[in-house]
C-alpha cells in the first residue's frame, strides 16, 4: 500500500489512494530524467572520448587514412590527451570505414603495442608485439560493420562494429632515443583504402610534439551533443538496445534531431555535474576492492577494476561492471586484452596513485618521494608520469615532459641497494634534480607507473613500488 504522503530525498510525495498528485508527477519525472541523463553520461564516456579524439585529430589535419599524428619528439604536456605517455613514439591514425571502405594497415617489423578500437572504445584487434604479427610485421585489413564482400587472403582481417576507428601505435625507444622508432614508422607504416592497394597514397606524418591540441571530451552539457553526433553517424547496430534505450530516454535517437527544451536542458546540465563528480569519485577514490594491486596498505591501484577488459564481473556471472568501464575511460584511452592478460615480456601493465601513504590528497605545493625498488620487472622500460586531475592529461609545468623513464633518463641517481628515489614537488630537493618531477602549488596531481614488457615478478606480486610519502 502507498500512503497519502511519503518523505523522500526529492521531497514530499503526495497521493490520493495511490494516485500521485500533479506536483509529485512533475517531481518524479524530473528525477527520472535526471537519473537517466546521469547514467547516460557514465555509460557514454568511452564514446564521447573517441569522438573528442576524432575532432582533435581532424583539427590538426588528420582527415584521411594516410595521414598520421606522429609524436616524433615524444608526447609532451601541450597535448590534452588522457594519460598519454612520454615514453613511446606514438603514431596515431584515424580510420573512417564509411568514407574509405575496407582499410589496410601495414605494420612494420619491430612495432611495439598497437591497437584498433571502435567508436565506443571497444577492442577490435591488436597490432605489433601483442598482435597476431607478434612484432614481426604484417598487413591488417579493417572491415566496415556492414561489409559483406569477399575478404582477400594475405591479411589479418577483422570486422569493426563502427565506421570510425581509432588507431594508436607505439614505437619503443632504443638507447633512450627516438631515432629508430621514427625511422620505423616513416619507412614502414602504410595506411590506405583496400580499393587503392595498387597505388596507395603517400603517407603524411604530422608532428604532434609541442602542438597544442585538445582530445578530451566535454564535462558539461555539450557532452550530449558529442554523443549525438556519434549516434547519427554510426550504424544502428553499433550499440545494443539497452545502451540506445538509455540515450533514447533523454532524446538522443538515430535519425531524429536532438533538441531538448528548456526544462530538459536544465536537467541535462544538473545531471552532467552529478555524473562528472561521480566519475571522479570512481576514478580517484574507488570503493571497489577489485582495483587493488598490492593490498590495502599500498596506494597503487589498477585502472582495470576487476582486471577484465570487457568489464565483466566474475567472468560474466556478475554482469557488466559499469563503474569499471566508467573509471577506465574517464582517465585513460586504448582498450586491449594486452593490458590485463599475463603476457610476460610482451604487453604492458599500469599502476595509478592519487593519494599519499596516509590517504591524503597529493598537494602540488608540498614535497613527496617514492621508492622504486631495484630490479623493476620490465623487459623494455619503466616510467612514472605525473598528471593533472582536472584534464587527466600531463601536468603542465616548467618540465614539458613531467616524467622519469629508466631508458631515457639515465642520469637518475641510484641508491646503494639499486633502488631509485623519485621526488615530487614545486622545487627540486638539493642534489636530486635528476630524480625530480615538478608539481604546481594550488593544484593536485596523480601519477601512473608503467611497465612495458612486464615480467613474472610483477604478475606474481613479488615486486612492488613503495608508497608515496609526504616529506615533512
Amino acid at each position: 500500500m502507498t500512503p497519502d504522503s511519503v518523505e523522500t530525498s526529492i521531497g514530499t510525495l503526495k497521493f490520493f489512494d495511490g494516485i500521485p498528485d500533479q506536483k509529485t508527477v512533475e517531481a518524479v519525472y524530473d528525477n527520472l530524467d535526471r537519473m537517466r541523463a546521469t547514467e547516460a553520461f557514465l555509460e557514454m564516456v568511452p564514446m564521447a572520448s573517441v569522438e573528442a579524439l576524432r575532432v582533435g585529430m581532424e583539427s590538426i589535419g588528420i582527415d584521411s587514412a594516410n595521414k598520421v599524428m606522429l609524436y616524433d619528439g615524444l608526447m609532451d604536456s601541450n597535448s590534452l590527451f588522457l594519460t598519454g605517455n612520454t615514453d613511446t613514439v606514438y603514431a596515431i591514425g584515424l580510420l573512417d570505414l564509411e568514407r574509405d571502405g575496407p582499410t589496410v594497415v601495414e605494420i612494420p617489423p619491430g612495432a611495439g603495442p598497437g591497437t584498433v578500437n571502435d567508436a565506443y572504445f571497444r577492442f577490435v584487434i591488436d597490432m605489433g608485439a601483442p598482435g597476431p604479427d607478434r612484432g614481426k610485421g604484417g598487413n591488417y585489413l579493417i572491415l566496415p560493420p556492414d561489409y559483406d564482400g569477399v575478404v582477400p587472403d594475405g591479411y589479418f582481417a577483422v570486422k569493426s562494429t563502427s565506421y570510425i576507428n581509432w588507431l594508436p601505435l607505439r614505437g619503443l625507444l632504443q638507447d633512450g632515443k627516438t631515432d629508430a622508432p621514427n625511422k620505423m614508422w616513416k619507412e614502414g607504416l602504410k595506411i590506405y583504402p583496400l580499393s587503392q592497394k595498387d597505388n596507395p597514397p603517400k603517407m603524411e606524418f604530422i608532428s604532434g610534439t609541442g602542438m597544442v591540441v585538445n582530445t578530451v571530451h566535454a564535462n558539461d552539457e555539450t557532452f550530449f551533443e558529442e554523443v549525438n553526433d556519434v549516434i547519427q553517424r554510426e550504424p544502428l547496430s553499433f550499440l545494443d538496445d539497452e545502451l540506445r534505450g538509455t540515450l533514447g530516454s533523454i532524446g538522443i535517437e538515430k535519425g531524429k534531431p536532438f533538441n531538448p527544451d528548456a526544462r530538459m536542458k536544465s536537467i541535462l546540465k544538473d545531471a552532467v555535474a552529478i555524473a562528472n563528480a561521480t566519475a571522479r569519485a570512481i576514478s580517484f577514490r574507488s570503493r571497489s576492492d577489485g582495483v587493488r594491486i598490492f593490498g590495502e596498505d599500498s596506494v597503487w591501484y589498477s585502472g582495470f577494476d576487476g582486471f577484465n577488459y570487457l568489464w565483466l564481473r566474475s567472468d560474466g556471472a556478475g554482469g557488466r561492471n559499469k563503474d569499471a568501464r566508467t573509471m577506465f575511460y574517464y582517465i585513460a584511452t586504448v582498450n586491449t586484452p594486452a593490458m590485463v592478460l599475463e603476457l610476460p615480456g610482451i604487453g604492458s601493465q599500469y599502476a595509478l596513485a592519487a593519494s599519499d601513504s596516509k590517504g591524503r590528497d597529493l598537494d602540488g605545493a608540498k614535497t613527496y618521494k617514492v621508492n622504486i625498488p631495484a630490479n623493476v620487472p620490465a623487459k623494455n622500460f619503466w616510467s612514472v608520469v605525473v598528471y593533472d586531475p582536472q584534464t587527466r592529461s600531463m601536468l603542465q609545468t616548467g618540465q614539458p615532459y613531467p616524467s622519469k623513464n629508466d631508458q631515457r633518463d639515465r642520469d637518475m641517481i641510484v641508491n646503494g641497494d639499486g633502488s631509485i628515489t623519485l621526488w615530487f614537488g614545486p622545487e627540486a630537493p638539493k642534489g636530486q634534480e635528476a630524480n625530480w618531477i615538478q608539481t604546481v602549488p594550488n593544484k593536485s596531481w596523480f601519477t601512473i607507473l608503467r611497465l612495458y614488457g612486464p615480467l613474472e615478478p610483477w604478475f606474481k606480486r613479488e615486486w612492488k613500488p613503495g608508497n608515496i610519502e609526504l616529506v615533512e
Side-chain angles (χ1 to χ4, degrees):
M1 301 292 287
T2 300
D4 290 345
S5 181
V6 180
E7 298 297 327
T8 74
S9 61
I10 62 171
T12 302
L13 307 181
K14 294 187 176 181
F15 305 84
F16 172 65
D17 198 24
I19 299 176
D21 67 11
Q22 186 58 35
K23 186 176 180 181
T24 294
V25 168
E26 293 172 0
V28 295
Y29 276 136
D30 283 353
N31 183 61
L32 180 61
D33 289 341
R34 185 181 301 107
M35 289 193 305
R36 294 265 168 79
T38 301
E39 186 67 13
F41 180 99
L42 296 174
E43 289 188 339
M44 297 301 153
V45 165
M47 180 192 294
S49 187
V50 176
E51 178 65 0
L53 284 160
R54 183 193 69 81
V55 171
M57 291 178 64
E58 288 189 352
S59 74
I60 64 165
I62 310 298
D63 55 9
S64 61
N66 64 306
K67 294 182 180 181
V68 166
M69 188 178 189
L70 181 68
Y71 281 94
D72 48 358
L74 302 177
M75 184 181 289
D76 61 81
S77 59
N78 280 309
S79 292
L80 293 183
F81 195 108
L82 293 179
T83 54
N85 73 58
T86 61
D87 311 304
T88 61
V89 175
Y90 283 114
I92 306 176
L94 187 68
L95 310 183
D96 186 338
L97 304 179
E98 184 176 34
R99 177 191 65 205
D100 297 332
T103 299
V104 176
V105 181
E106 295 184 10
I107 296 294
T115 303
V116 177
N117 283 162
D118 79 355
Y120 192 72
F121 251 131
R122 289 173 296 211
F123 174 72
V124 178
I125 195 169
D126 276 330
M127 298 175 173
D133 70 275
R134 291 295 182 260
K136 297 178 181 179
N139 295 342
Y140 291 77
L141 183 61
I142 314 303
L143 303 169
D146 51 1
Y147 183 75
D148 59 1
V150 175
V151 178
D153 295 331
Y155 298 94
F156 299 114
V158 63
K159 181 180 285 190
S160 176
T161 50
S162 63
Y163 294 127
I164 295 296
N165 287 259
W166 193 55
L167 174 63
L169 306 170
R170 303 178 189 88
L172 303 182
L173 304 183
Q174 291 189 17
D175 298 322
K177 298 178 180 179
T178 62
D179 299 17
N182 276 323
K183 184 174 186 291
M184 175 187 67
W185 292 135
K186 290 180 179 179
E187 294 182 359
L189 178 63
K190 303 286 190 297
I191 307 174
Y192 52 88
L194 179 65
S195 61
Q196 299 179 22
K197 66 181 178 62
D198 294 330
N199 187 27
K202 182 181 178 181
M203 292 294 294
E204 296 183 35
F205 295 93
I206 298 174
S207 176
T209 301
M211 183 178 290
V212 176
V213 58
N214 181 16
T215 69
V216 180
H217 64 78
N219 272 332
D220 60 15
E221 58 270 29
T222 61
F223 175 94
F224 296 107
E225 297 173 12
E226 294 174 340
V227 169
N228 181 63
D229 287 345
V230 180
I231 291 299
Q232 302 307 325
R233 180 189 313 116
E234 297 295 344
L236 193 65
S237 59
F238 167 57
L239 295 181
D240 63 28
D241 293 340
E242 290 292 331
L243 289 174
R244 283 190 283 107
T246 300
L247 293 176
S249 70
I250 60 170
I252 297 176
E253 184 177 341
K254 187 173 179 63
K256 294 185 178 180
F258 175 53
N259 189 27
D261 60 18
R263 168 189 164 275
M264 196 63 189
K265 285 181 179 178
S266 175
I267 287 173
L268 293 176
K269 185 174 183 177
D270 187 34
V272 166
I274 295 168
N276 177 55
T278 304
R280 289 180 175 277
I282 292 170
S283 300
F284 298 120
R285 294 292 180 262
S286 176
R287 64 183 179 180
S288 171
D289 290 336
V291 303
R292 300 188 187 280
I293 303 174
F294 304 107
E296 294 183 1
D297 295 333
S298 175
V299 300
W300 299 96
Y301 64 99
S302 173
F304 276 96
D305 184 359
F307 302 94
N308 187 296
Y309 82 99
L310 294 173
W311 323 114
L312 299 177
R313 285 191 179 93
S314 305
D315 293 325
R320 190 84 64 192
N321 187 340
K322 294 183 178 183
D323 290 355
R325 181 174 60 195
T326 297
M327 174 187 183
F328 181 83
Y329 290 117
Y330 194 76
I331 58 177
T333 62
V334 190
N335 183 16
T336 165
M339 288 184 178
V340 293
L341 296 177
E342 292 192 14
L343 299 170
I346 297 178
S348 55
Q349 291 286 302
Y350 306 79
L352 295 81
S355 60
D356 70 9
S357 60
K358 296 189 177 178
R360 298 170 295 200
D361 295 343
L362 298 172
D363 185 341
K366 298 178 180 179
T367 299
Y368 301 84
K369 65 179 181 179
V370 65
N371 183 261
I372 305 298
N375 303 314
V376 179
K379 175 184 175 182
N380 302 123
F381 70 83
W382 65 263
S383 76
V384 170
V385 185
V386 168
Y387 297 97
D388 183 333
Q390 288 285 3
T391 63
R392 292 93 69 210
S393 303
M394 291 180 205
L395 185 66
Q396 295 181 337
T397 70
Q399 297 173 325
Y401 302 98
S403 64
K404 291 298 171 184
N405 175 303
D406 72 319
Q407 295 299 306
R408 192 183 70 242
D409 300 299
R410 298 189 178 188
D411 60 342
M412 286 190 290
I413 299 168
V414 180
N415 301 322
D417 62 357
S419 68
I420 292 177
T421 302
L422 297 180
W423 299 81
F424 310 87
E427 297 180 359
K430 187 176 181 180
Q432 297 294 330
E433 289 81 3
N435 293 37
W436 168 64
I437 304 175
Q438 189 175 23
T439 59
V440 181
N442 300 315
K443 283 194 65 60
S444 188
W445 56 275
F446 71 102
T447 188
I448 296 180
L449 168 67
R450 287 177 169 81
L451 278 67
Y452 270 58
L455 302 173
E456 289 288 349
W458 171 266
F459 295 112
K460 293 181 178 179
R461 305 300 185 242
E462 296 170 348
W463 181 96
K464 70 175 182 178
N467 281 333
I468 297 176
E469 304 285 352
L470 175 65
V471 179
E472 302 287 354

